[in-house]
Amino acid sequence: MSSKATEVPTTGGQEITYLEAIREALFEEMESDENVFCMGQDIGVFGGAFKVTEGLQARFGPQRVLDTPISEIAMVGAAAGAGHMGMRPVVEMQFIDFIANAYDMITNYVATARYRAFLPCPMVIRGPSGGYVRGGPFHSQNPEAGFIHTPGIKVVYPSTAADAKGLLKAAIRDDDCVLFFEHKYLYRRIRDVVPAGDHVVPIGKARTAREGTDVSIITYAATVWKALDAAQQLADEDGLSVEVIDLRTLSPLDDEAILATVRKTNRVLILHEDTRTGGIAGEITARINEQAFAWLDAPVLRVTAHDVPLPYAPSLEDFVLPQTSDIVRAVRQLAAY
Amino acid sequence: MSSKATEVPTTGGQEITYLEAIREALFEEMESDENVFCMGQDIGVFGGAFKVTEGLQARFGPQRVLDTPISEIAMVGAAAGAGHMGMRPVVEMQFIDFIANAYDMITNYVATARYRAFLPCPMVIRGPSGGYVRGGPFHSQNPEAGFIHTPGIKVVYPSTAADAKGLLKAAIRDDDCVLFFEHKYLYRRIRDVVPAGDHVVPIGKARTAREGTDVSIITYAATVWKALDAAQQLADEDGLSVEVIDLRTLSPLDDEAILATVRKTNRVLILHEDTRTGGIAGEITARINEQAFAWLDAPVLRVTAHDVPLPYAPSLEDFVLPQTSDIVRAVRQLAAY
Amino acid sequence: MAPRPESTRPRRSRGRGASANDRPPSESLSREQLLALYYWMRLTRTLEERLVALYRQTKVVGGLFRSLGQEADSVGSAFALERRDILSPLIRNLGSMLVKGATPLEILRQYMAKGDSPTRGRELNIHFGDTDRGFIGQISPLGDMVPVMAGVTLSFRMRGEDRVGLVYIGDGATSTGAFHEGINFAAVQRCPLVVIVENNGYAYSTPTSRQTLAASFVDKAIGYGIPGHKADGNDVLAVYDVTKRAVDHARRGKGVTLIELMTYRRKGHAEHDNQSYVPEGEIERWERENDPLTRYVARLTGEFGFTASDVEAVDERAHVEIDAATDQAEASPPPEALDSLIGVYADPPAAEPLWFREGIAQAVTSHERPAGWGTSNVE
Amino acid sequence: MAPRPESTRPRRSRGRGASANDRPPSESLSREQLLALYYWMRLTRTLEERLVALYRQTKVVGGLFRSLGQEADSVGSAFALERRDILSPLIRNLGSMLVKGATPLEILRQYMAKGDSPTRGRELNIHFGDTDRGFIGQISPLGDMVPVMAGVTLSFRMRGEDRVGLVYIGDGATSTGAFHEGINFAAVQRCPLVVIVENNGYAYSTPTSRQTLAASFVDKAIGYGIPGHKADGNDVLAVYDVTKRAVDHARRGKGVTLIELMTYRRKGHAEHDNQSYVPEGEIERWERENDPLTRYVARLTGEFGFTASDVEAVDERAHVEIDAATDQAEASPPPEALDSLIGVYADPPAAEPLWFREGIAQAVTSHERPAGWGTSNVE
Ligand SMILES: Cc1ncc(C[n+]2csc(CCOP(=O)(O)OP(=O)(O)O)c2C)c(N)n1
Ligand SMILES: Cc1ncc(C[n+]2csc(CCOP(=O)(O)OP(=O)(O)O)c2C)c(N)n1
Ligand SMILES: [Mg+2]
Ligand SMILES: [Mg+2]
């Protein structure tokens, strides 16, 4: 363990990794609100499988950084119960893939509690998500589509360190359950400057990651970076001006930002790492159709993973997941439509 | 219990209810293939909460019509294990809402078994689904969106007695896991003539429920009947010719049938009882955009439930769910676009 | 309102030889409390009988679930809690909810899906709660309330509050993963929680012998490393005693206890269920030999020295209360359609009506209604 | 290939006084079988040591999971099965898989994600199976294999087949709902299934004391109404004995048995884990005093009369086999990209490449690769 471990310093104004940004958000919110506590498997002394919670238990004690049994149903249910009583639990899934085990508790109990029983569930479920890391079918999932479909749940999926920190703080302060997906490929690869002070990014607001006028790419999480690479390549090679919208929040969707970019470029590519059928791109396409059909100069197109469980070998995973070259090809097609 | 109970007659050529059609399919498949067996809560002596399996245990014995503990995870997992060994289990969820408890087992284990391990899961998970019956938030769900997103699973949702029988027989014979959603509002309200003999309806093929040339309504399950009512009203009152497509299978979607109707009417309404955001209408909209954008004379529109848990009181449920009047209004809007 | 446990006045002085711990806690109940136990059981039964009448008049929306013959289990256990404690009832714990302060009027409005019911018509039957009065409403997926109550009581422990939780689980629902994960979590976290398995012989049509091979549900306690106790669920004082001891144990920081209460479901799973699967004579035997009200009345008028007219006065009072509540509930309006869009989230506070509902009033008044209920056995 | 249980030849005649049932089944093992037990344990350890070397050379894709110190648990239990029986291994049951016929070559190809590995590069490490040889590969979500094996053995019972199933569960994974639902289902359905809890002290960093309050996992048996036995998991013959008896019990139609094997995980959860959470000296003590190979070698060369060179010959044989397998595995090709689209369903047999992959070859050869692994601790 690094010496930093027991301190969990709060930076601000400095360049830190996506992972450190998450740890800082946890640290700051636990400091400022005694109702915030963390629970999960191996998050205490060990600091979690990815070391996101490293140092938290040393700082806040085992009562507030709680190692649980391997019981995703119980973790989520207990968070809801504690939430009813005014606590603000943050539950870590060791890998987000295991959120499937708590699907009933999340969609049936937590999501409906306020509506049917006027009971608040101010809680966050967070965990390492996504592929490109040779994790195979059960350590690479992007479970957002299974949850944006559920009224009562919010879903957040940041792509930068600044957003990771600011959105997690907003999620912890939100009075409803927020699923906070962390892209594990970005944990230690992305670092950027996080504003000093109490940096909170509002839930429900997208971000323009790159301005452009010819074609829009709407995406989130790890593929934001691929979209930016593709945009640069298309500027260099084709002279195309590509706008990249980073959704940041998947539920509720930022319709305004989506419609604004459609009206601006009239050509939209939706890009996600999740499998194609039933992925969130369909929902966005429908919203664009309903609200901005007249602005479309070309069909809304999707670049997504193939509809297969994510395989493990590099050659297979790379084929199944969307790559920059795919985005380039798709944008060229849209621009030429 | 009716005297019919212990006989489970096979009709064919006669008018029977949607529920009787399902029972007949189970009966016939169990008769013709000794590997087919049923399991579920209270399906044996009691014949199930809706009496779908009434008479089956008397005919086939408790070994093949098996009452299980209240254990949805175990029911699905055990079906998969038995399926690996060459059996063809049919699992009943007492209400389909409880399929959420087995979400991990279905999406992680069953859906991936063939792909990652070359293990077949020839099994059916079936159960009463859908609203309009004052069932409240946990006895009215339409869980299709949570599963069409999962490669490796097929999803079927019939609207007529003939299809209920024919699709269930196809599902039982399919070599992969098929989720078979039965709309409980239709159980005893719909009756139609089921063809005699070994009536099998292929999975993956939609049905034209009504021919038309002005506007297409793409839908499935209980709302097929609302679409037909609306089409008649629109013909009578507006002279509009509305085509109604009954999808029957939701995964895999019948792209050909969808595109054919788009090319024919150039105006499409997608209608589902499920909540709006993340529902299957988005996926269909995206497919139409990608493959038939040039044929669209108007935006693809959606009529769906509102994005709330389904409330129980009649006045609330009726407001939240799509009604015929909504369809009429939406079609008029499309026709006038 | 009958006296609640808070107003405890010892009924008799402590026996000289026995220590406080050995003596059943029920020996400390006041005469008012002894009669209150009967009142809650009678109120439960009378209210359910009224619900049956309303159900037959098709005024109940959806199914009706009875606790006939199980009233002692609900009432005796809930009576062992303090007002600040929290319990999570199941479909057959109407009695527990009444003890915890739910009113017949609320129950009646709930069952009739009225707009001024506790859930404003959003949820079924007795699926409602009130954390101030100390009960949290269940949801239908069985077992889920065990993890939730683990979390409720975890918060008590974390904050050092002197509060205890009580959660019920049916014999059938012990087979769910949620029950297992929740009780294990609560046990290892030493939450102040009492878990009561209500063994009423059946889960819908399924007898316990097809639910588990265990000889007793209390045998599960050792596998969670917690104490387990079994009691006669149709003896309201025995139920009170076993629960009170477990509650005290939890309050002393000793963690979870599993209790198995032996009782019997005399009615079907819901009102529509004809119980064809029940062996002949079984129901009648329980009714004849083991009705919790009959048994308790015998003790009240026997060893506790109440008169028959004391008992009748309680019966009468329950009737009068239920009559009044029924009149009031029947007069309640249905919910307003637009209320259906309010409060899914704290922020935003309401969903927008969808575009095809622009003429909202018209859409609501001209909507179709189903010809009849599609199912009579919703739960 | 060492002799398998099928070729049983009694090692010594039955003791006169003891009945067949009382005598440990291991007394009937032949000398070949006694040596085979050692061979499988040694092969497991040597293969894992080779995997460590390959891991350090970054030839292993993803994490590496060791069973160091637990080899007796896997080998002794799997050895109690017949070839027609089916087991479901966990991440630390490499030894069980070898006994059941998995080859070192398959394991090596799997860990290196080769195109000719048993899953053609689709799944991780030892996540693979073969129903012909009698093992079914696990998936990562813990506990799920218990319901699956309940179904496998349910099919044996339904068809009247003389076959038994064996499923392992970690101390940590006993906390999952899937474990609970699966073992209860199997018990009440009287499936011919043996459930082995491998108590190796930890679940990742979590000691059993934070997983459950139960004094022993075997205490869970009574709550499912099934027999439970506890044994020394580092004594290969004790493991064989306790498992064999449970297997025979299941084969006689008597249903499920729960076995708890006491062992210890001497390595971290995966190779990257530095075990900082382990009390000082604990690992060393287990290594010194309770290594299953060392202990068994002492018995082999002691009471069973084998020579040191008998033992060395086995060690040598294991080494030679692993060397040959390594050379072969390293020469294997990676999977073909297009194979990723095949076999999600029986029908259709393959998915289509998406439209933006029209120039497939180019897309595959020019794709980006991550600069390094994002995680070293995938499981
Ligand atoms: C997870 C889940 N599966 C199935 C059901 C359907 N169901 C409702 S009540 C019931 C029987 C419950 O039996 P038990 O737990 O013994 O409670 P009792 O009705 O006897 O009080 C069943 C199967 C459900 N509500 N939840
Ligand atoms: C449902 C689920 N939750 C969490 C994990 C992450 N995880 C993988 S292995 C492991 C520890 C397992 O411990 P144990 O069951 O004792 O097995 P051991 O590794 O000791 O053999 C955890 C938490 C998982 N695989 N599945
Ligand atoms: Mg019961
Ligand atoms: Mg372990």
Side-chain angles (χ1 to χ4, degrees):
Chain A
M1 262 190 237
S2 75
S3 68
K4 209 176 69 189
T6 47
E7 296 169 29
V8 194
T10 288
T11 57
Q14 276 174 244
E15 217 180 56
I16 55 172
T17 64
Y18 184 93
L19 186 144
E20 287 161 344
I22 294 165
R23 187 189 295 145
E24 275 192 18
L26 292 172
F27 180 82
E28 290 178 14
E29 294 305 300
M30 290 186 73
E31 274 291 333
S32 66
D33 183 350
E34 65 180 10
N35 293 315
V36 178
F37 72 100
C38 294
M39 63 170 137
Q41 295 151 29
D42 308 294
I43 66 166
V45 175
F46 193 62
F50 285 87
K51 301 290 180 193
V52 171
T53 57
E54 189 164 58
L56 284 187
Q57 192 178 71
R59 176 77 180 89
F60 298 105
Q63 291 280 327
R64 291 184 66 197
V65 184
L66 207 130
D67 279 324
T68 68
I70 304 176
S71 300
E72 285 77 11
I73 305 173
M75 287 154 58
V76 171
H84 295 343
M85 298 290 110
M87 306 294 288
R88 294 190 171 271
V90 180
V91 176
E92 173 173 303
M93 295 282 153
Q94 195 158 87
F95 285 82
I96 205 68
D97 311 56
F98 307 128
I99 201 172
N101 296 50
Y103 189 78
D104 160 63
M105 191 60 87
I106 297 171
T107 62
N108 283 329
Y109 190 84
V110 173
T112 65
R114 179 181 296 280
Y115 185 77
R116 69 176 158 75
F118 315 108
L119 287 168
C121 293
M123 56 187 274
V124 174
I125 303 174
R126 47 162 291 274
S129 315
Y132 298 105
V133 297
R134 290 59 174 111
F138 308 110
H139 291 81
S140 307
Q141 293 175 8
N142 288 289
E144 57 269 22
F147 295 100
I148 60 153
H149 173 249
T150 306
I153 295 288
K154 295 180 179 180
V155 179
V156 162
Y157 206 159
S159 73
T160 66
D163 284 354
K165 180 169 178 182
L167 282 167
L168 182 49
K169 288 171 69 97
I172 293 172
R173 296 180 196 184
D174 200 278
D175 286 332
D176 290 298
C177 175
V178 180
L179 306 187
F180 187 87
F181 298 140
E182 304 165 2
H183 204 294
K184 67 177 88 70
Y185 181 80
L186 305 182
Y187 268 157
R188 296 187 162 87
R189 285 196 186 75
I190 294 300
R191 54 169 64 235
D192 48 66
V193 176
V194 176
D198 188 29
H199 172 63
V200 179
V201 174
I203 290 174
K205 293 281 166 230
R207 171 180 80 93
T208 304
R210 179 183 172 119
E211 299 258 8
T213 52
D214 294 332
V215 174
S216 301
I217 302 177
I218 298 176
T219 188
Y220 56 95
T223 45
V224 167
W225 300 100
K226 295 207 180 286
L228 289 172
D229 284 352
Q232 191 55 50
Q233 187 183 333
L234 288 157
D236 295 346
E237 295 178 11
D238 304 52
L240 279 172
S241 169
V242 175
E243 178 147 302
V244 178
I245 302 295
D246 175 2
L247 288 170
R248 304 202 285 196
T249 295
L250 305 181
S251 180
L253 279 168
D254 186 349
D255 283 336
E256 246 175 73
I258 293 169
L259 297 180
T261 196
V262 174
R263 294 205 190 91
K264 186 173 173 192
T265 66
N266 315 111
R267 289 179 157 79
V268 186
L269 178 73
I270 306 170
L271 166 65
H272 62 57
E273 183 187 322
D274 187 17
T275 46
R276 188 174 192 78
T277 299
I280 191 174
E283 176 63 27
I284 298 171
T285 308
R287 289 179 183 221
I288 293 173
N289 260 255
E290 289 163 344
Q291 300 173 60
F293 185 70
W295 277 267
L296 286 177
D297 288 345
V300 179
L301 294 183
R302 295 182 288 182
V303 168
T304 64
H306 288 79
D307 279 340
V308 303
L310 194 63
Y312 155 62
S315 55
L316 303 179
E317 183 182 37
D318 286 341
F319 184 80
V320 170
L321 291 182
Q323 306 294 347
T324 305
S325 53
D326 301 325
I327 306 166
V328 168
R329 197 172 296 114
V331 170
R332 284 182 179 144
Q333 172 121 345
L334 264 181
Y337 189 91
Chain B
M1 259 188 239
S2 75
S3 68
K4 210 176 70 188
T6 47
E7 295 171 27
V8 194
T10 287
T11 57
Q14 276 175 243
E15 215 179 59
I16 54 172
T17 65
Y18 185 93
L19 186 145
E20 287 162 344
I22 293 164
R23 187 188 294 145
E24 274 193 19
L26 292 171
F27 179 83
E28 289 178 15
E29 294 305 299
M30 289 186 74
E31 274 290 332
S32 66
D33 182 351
E34 64 181 10
N35 293 314
V36 179
F37 72 101
C38 294
M39 61 170 139
Q41 295 151 29
D42 308 294
I43 67 167
V45 174
F46 192 63
F50 285 85
K51 302 290 180 192
V52 171
T53 57
E54 189 164 59
L56 283 186
Q57 192 179 69
R59 176 78 181 88
F60 298 105
Q63 291 280 327
R64 290 185 66 198
V65 183
L66 207 130
D67 278 324
T68 67
I70 304 176
S71 301
E72 285 78 10
I73 305 173
M75 287 154 59
V76 171
H84 296 341
M85 299 289 110
M87 305 294 286
R88 293 189 171 271
V90 180
V91 176
E92 173 173 303
M93 295 283 152
Q94 196 159 87
F95 285 81
I96 205 68
D97 312 57
F98 307 128
I99 201 172
N101 297 50
Y103 190 78
D104 160 64
M105 191 60 90
I106 296 171
T107 62
N108 283 329
Y109 190 85
V110 172
T112 64
R114 179 181 296 280
Y115 185 76
R116 69 175 158 75
F118 315 109
L119 287 169
C121 293
M123 57 189 274
V124 174
I125 302 173
R126 46 161 292 273
S129 315
Y132 299 104
V133 298
R134 289 59 173 111
F138 309 111
H139 292 81
S140 308
Q141 292 176 6
N142 288 289
E144 57 269 22
F147 295 100
I148 61 154
H149 172 251
T150 305
I153 296 287
K154 295 180 179 180
V155 180
V156 162
Y157 206 159
S159 73
T160 66
D163 284 354
K165 179 168 179 181
L167 281 168
L168 182 51
K169 288 172 68 98
I172 293 172
R173 296 180 197 183
D174 199 279
D175 286 332
D176 291 297
C177 175
V178 180
L179 306 188
F180 187 87
F181 299 139
E182 303 165 3
H183 204 294
K184 68 177 87 68
Y185 181 80
L186 305 182
Y187 268 157
R188 294 187 163 86
R189 284 195 188 77
I190 294 300
R191 55 169 63 236
D192 47 66
V193 175
V194 176
D198 188 29
H199 171 61
V200 179
V201 174
I203 289 174
K205 293 279 166 233
R207 171 180 81 92
T208 304
R210 179 183 174 120
E211 299 259 6
T213 52
D214 296 330
V215 175
S216 301
I217 302 176
I218 299 176
T219 189
Y220 55 95
T223 45
V224 167
W225 300 100
K226 297 207 179 287
L228 289 171
D229 284 352
Q232 190 56 48
Q233 187 183 333
L234 288 158
D236 295 345
E237 296 178 9
D238 304 51
L240 279 172
S241 167
V242 175
E243 177 147 303
V244 178
I245 302 295
D246 175 1
L247 287 169
R248 304 203 282 199
T249 296
L250 306 182
S251 180
L253 280 167
D254 186 347
D255 284 336
E256 244 175 73
I258 292 169
L259 298 180
T261 197
V262 174
R263 293 205 191 93
K264 186 174 173 193
T265 66
N266 315 111
R267 287 179 158 78
V268 185
L269 179 73
I270 305 171
L271 165 66
H272 59 59
E273 183 187 323
D274 188 16
T275 46
R276 188 172 190 79
T277 301
I280 192 173
E283 176 64 27
I284 297 170
T285 309
R287 289 179 182 218
I288 293 173
N289 260 255
E290 288 161 346
Q291 299 172 61
F293 185 71
W295 276 267
L296 286 178
D297 287 346
V300 179
L301 294 182
R302 296 182 287 182
V303 168
T304 63
H306 288 78
D307 279 340
V308 302
L310 194 62
Y312 155 62
S315 56
L316 302 179
E317 182 180 38
D318 286 341
F319 184 80
V320 171
L321 291 183
Q323 306 293 347
T324 306
S325 52
D326 302 324
I327 306 166
V328 168
R329 197 172 296 114
V331 169
R332 284 182 180 144
Q333 172 121 346
L334 263 180
Y337 191 92
Chain C
M1 181 86 144
R4 300 287 318 290
E6 267 86 348
S7 64
T8 299
R9 189 158 52 84
R11 193 167 79 249
R12 56 185 94 152
S13 61
R14 284 187 178 157
R16 223 175 310 171
S19 84
N21 279 348
D22 293 346
R23 289 178 47 246
S26 61
E27 290 191 6
S28 307
L29 290 174
S30 67
R31 289 185 64 77
E32 287 87 341
Q33 288 176 317
L34 286 177
L35 207 58
L37 284 169
Y38 176 67
Y39 166 74
W40 295 120
M41 292 199 288
R42 173 57 65 193
L43 191 69
T44 305
R45 188 167 292 183
T46 304
L47 177 50
E48 286 189 2
E49 283 163 356
R50 177 61 45 88
L51 284 164
V52 171
L54 292 166
Y55 179 85
R56 297 210 174 122
Q57 296 164 45
T58 70
K59 287 178 179 163
V60 163
V61 179
L64 170 59
F65 300 84
R66 298 291 307 274
S67 66
L68 182 68
Q70 301 184 212
E71 295 91 344
D73 146 359
S74 295
V75 167
S77 54
F79 208 78
L81 294 180
E82 301 295 324
R83 185 162 302 221
R84 64 187 179 280
D85 298 332
I86 291 202
L87 71 74
S88 169
L90 294 174
I91 198 72
R92 287 180 226 296
N93 296 120
L94 173 54
S96 316
M97 291 170 69
L98 293 172
V99 170
K100 265 308 219 170
T103 66
L105 178 58
E106 288 177 310
I107 309 283
L108 288 158
R109 283 177 172 157
Q110 242 340 89
Y111 259 112
M112 293 192 276
K114 297 294 190 177
D116 52 7
S117 73
T119 67
R120 306 207 303 256
R122 292 163 180 217
E123 249 281 31
L124 305 162
N125 48 60
I126 65 171
H127 286 201
F128 71 95
D130 178 353
T131 46
D132 287 340
R133 284 176 282 177
F135 57 106
I136 289 183
Q138 66 171 319
I139 61 168
S140 301
L142 295 166
D144 284 11
M145 299 316 294
V146 182
V148 171
M149 288 302 294
V152 165
T153 51
L154 178 70
S155 81
F156 297 163
R157 199 207 68 197
M158 286 175 130
R159 289 173 157 169
E161 292 175 351
D162 179 32
R163 300 169 77 184
V164 168
L166 167 60
V167 65
Y168 301 93
I169 186 93
D171 48 283
T174 62
S175 299
T176 61
F179 161 74
H180 172 72
E181 292 198 6
I183 191 171
N184 182 61
F185 182 103
V188 79
Q189 291 293 339
R190 290 189 171 70
C191 298
L193 181 64
V194 178
V195 180
I196 295 187
V197 179
E198 296 180 292
N199 185 350
N200 64 0
Y202 292 90
Y204 213 141
S205 75
T206 305
T208 51
S209 61
R210 280 209 292 277
Q211 199 70 239
T212 178
L213 274 192
S216 255
F217 290 97
V218 75
D219 288 346
K220 292 183 182 290
I222 187 175
Y224 300 110
I226 55 175
H229 305 292
K230 192 167 179 164
D232 178 348
N234 285 10
D235 174 348
V236 70
L237 294 178
V239 171
Y240 174 78
D241 283 333
V242 73
T243 312
K244 185 71 168 68
R245 283 176 164 142
V247 165
D248 291 346
H249 182 82
R251 214 182 294 285
R252 285 196 305 272
K254 300 291 182 66
V256 180
T257 300
L258 180 72
I259 294 173
E260 177 177 9
L261 296 179
M262 302 304 295
T263 182
Y264 185 79
R265 197 194 75 201
R266 267 157 52 194
K267 285 296 192 178
H269 172 64
E271 204 54 20
H272 72 279
D273 166 5
N274 67 5
Q275 295 171 283
S276 52
Y277 47 85
V278 175
E280 203 163 312
E282 192 179 85
I283 298 167
E284 295 71 19
R285 201 180 63 246
W286 278 86
E287 180 174 6
R288 212 171 42 238
E289 297 171 11
N290 209 342
D291 180 77
L293 275 73
T294 310
R295 280 178 65 186
Y296 191 53
V297 166
R299 290 190 72 183
L300 282 177
T301 54
E303 75 187 89
F304 300 136
F306 289 91
T307 66
S309 69
D310 291 338
V311 170
E312 274 156 32
V314 171
D315 296 348
E316 176 59 18
R317 183 179 149 208
H319 258 287
V320 169
E321 286 177 17
I322 300 297
D323 281 346
T326 307
D327 291 344
Q328 221 183 322
E330 291 213 53
S332 286
E336 294 287 342
L338 275 174
D339 188 55
S340 64
L341 301 184
I342 294 174
V344 176
Y345 297 97
D347 173 28
E352 291 291 310
L354 290 171
W355 64 273
F356 48 76
R357 285 289 166 80
E358 271 156 34
I360 292 161
Q362 194 212 334
V364 177
T365 50
S366 71
H367 59 215
E368 310 91 300
R369 289 174 179 279
W373 309 125
T375 162
S376 53
N377 48 8
V378 154
E379 173 50 21
Chain D
M1 182 86 144
R4 300 288 317 290
E6 268 84 350
S7 65
T8 299
R9 190 157 52 82
R11 192 167 82 247
R12 55 185 94 149
S13 61
R14 286 192 175 151
R16 226 176 305 172
S19 85
N21 279 348
D22 293 346
R23 290 179 45 248
S26 61
E27 289 190 8
S28 305
L29 291 173
S30 68
R31 289 185 62 81
E32 287 87 342
Q33 288 175 317
L34 286 177
L35 209 56
L37 283 170
Y38 177 67
Y39 166 75
W40 295 119
M41 292 200 287
R42 173 57 64 194
L43 190 69
T44 304
R45 187 167 291 183
T46 304
L47 177 50
E48 286 189 2
E49 283 163 355
R50 177 60 45 87
L51 284 164
V52 171
L54 293 166
Y55 179 85
R56 298 206 173 125
Q57 297 165 44
T58 71
K59 286 177 179 164
V60 163
V61 179
L64 171 59
F65 300 83
R66 298 291 308 274
S67 67
L68 182 68
Q70 301 183 214
E71 296 91 344
D73 146 0
S74 294
V75 167
S77 54
F79 207 79
L81 295 178
E82 302 293 321
R83 184 162 303 220
R84 65 187 178 280
D85 298 332
I86 291 201
L87 71 75
S88 169
L90 295 174
I91 199 71
R92 287 181 227 294
N93 296 119
L94 172 54
S96 316
M97 291 170 69
L98 293 172
V99 170
K100 264 310 220 170
T103 66
L105 178 58
E106 288 176 311
I107 310 285
L108 287 158
R109 283 177 172 157
Q110 237 347 83
Y111 259 111
M112 293 192 276
K114 297 294 192 177
D116 52 7
S117 73
T119 66
R120 305 206 304 255
R122 292 163 181 217
E123 249 280 31
L124 305 161
N125 47 60
I126 65 171
H127 287 200
F128 72 94
D130 179 352
T131 45
D132 287 340
R133 284 176 281 178
F135 58 107
I136 289 183
Q138 66 170 318
I139 61 168
S140 300
L142 294 166
D144 283 11
M145 301 313 296
V146 182
V148 171
M149 288 302 294
V152 165
T153 52
L154 179 70
S155 81
F156 296 163
R157 199 208 70 196
M158 286 175 129
R159 287 173 159 166
E161 292 174 352
D162 179 31
R163 300 168 77 183
V164 168
L166 167 59
V167 65
Y168 300 93
I169 186 92
D171 47 284
T174 61
S175 299
T176 61
F179 161 74
H180 173 71
E181 292 199 6
I183 191 170
N184 182 60
F185 182 104
V188 79
Q189 291 294 339
R190 293 191 169 70
C191 297
L193 180 64
V194 178
V195 180
I196 294 187
V197 179
E198 296 180 293
N199 185 350
N200 64 0
Y202 291 90
Y204 213 141
S205 75
T206 305
T208 51
S209 60
R210 280 208 293 277
Q211 200 69 238
T212 179
L213 274 193
S216 255
F217 290 96
V218 76
D219 287 346
K220 293 183 181 289
I222 187 174
Y224 300 109
I226 55 174
H229 305 291
K230 192 167 179 165
D232 179 349
N234 285 10
D235 174 348
V236 71
L237 294 178
V239 171
Y240 174 79
D241 283 333
V242 73
T243 313
K244 185 71 166 69
R245 282 175 164 143
V247 164
D248 290 347
H249 183 82
R251 214 182 295 284
R252 284 195 306 272
K254 301 290 182 68
V256 180
T257 300
L258 180 72
I259 294 172
E260 177 178 8
L261 297 180
M262 303 303 295
T263 183
Y264 186 79
R265 198 195 75 201
R266 268 160 48 198
K267 285 295 191 178
H269 174 63
E271 203 56 20
H272 73 280
D273 166 4
N274 67 6
Q275 293 171 284
S276 52
Y277 48 84
V278 176
E280 204 164 309
E282 191 178 87
I283 298 167
E284 295 70 18
R285 199 179 67 243
W286 278 86
E287 179 175 7
R288 209 170 45 237
E289 297 170 11
N290 209 341
D291 180 78
L293 274 74
T294 310
R295 280 177 65 185
Y296 191 52
V297 166
R299 291 190 71 182
L300 283 178
T301 53
E303 75 187 269
F304 299 136
F306 289 92
T307 65
S309 68
D310 289 339
V311 170
E312 275 157 30
V314 171
D315 296 349
E316 177 57 20
R317 183 179 147 209
H319 258 288
V320 168
E321 286 177 17
I322 301 297
D323 281 346
T326 308
D327 292 344
Q328 221 183 323
E330 292 214 54
S332 286
E336 294 286 342
L338 275 173
D339 187 56
S340 63
L341 301 184
I342 294 173
V344 176
Y345 297 97
D347 173 28
E352 290 291 310
L354 291 171
W355 62 274
F356 49 76
R357 284 289 165 80
E358 270 156 34
I360 291 162
Q362 195 211 334
V364 177
T365 50
S366 71
H367 59 214
E368 310 91 302
R369 287 174 180 280
W373 308 124
T375 163
S376 52
N377 49 5
V378 154
E379 171 49 23

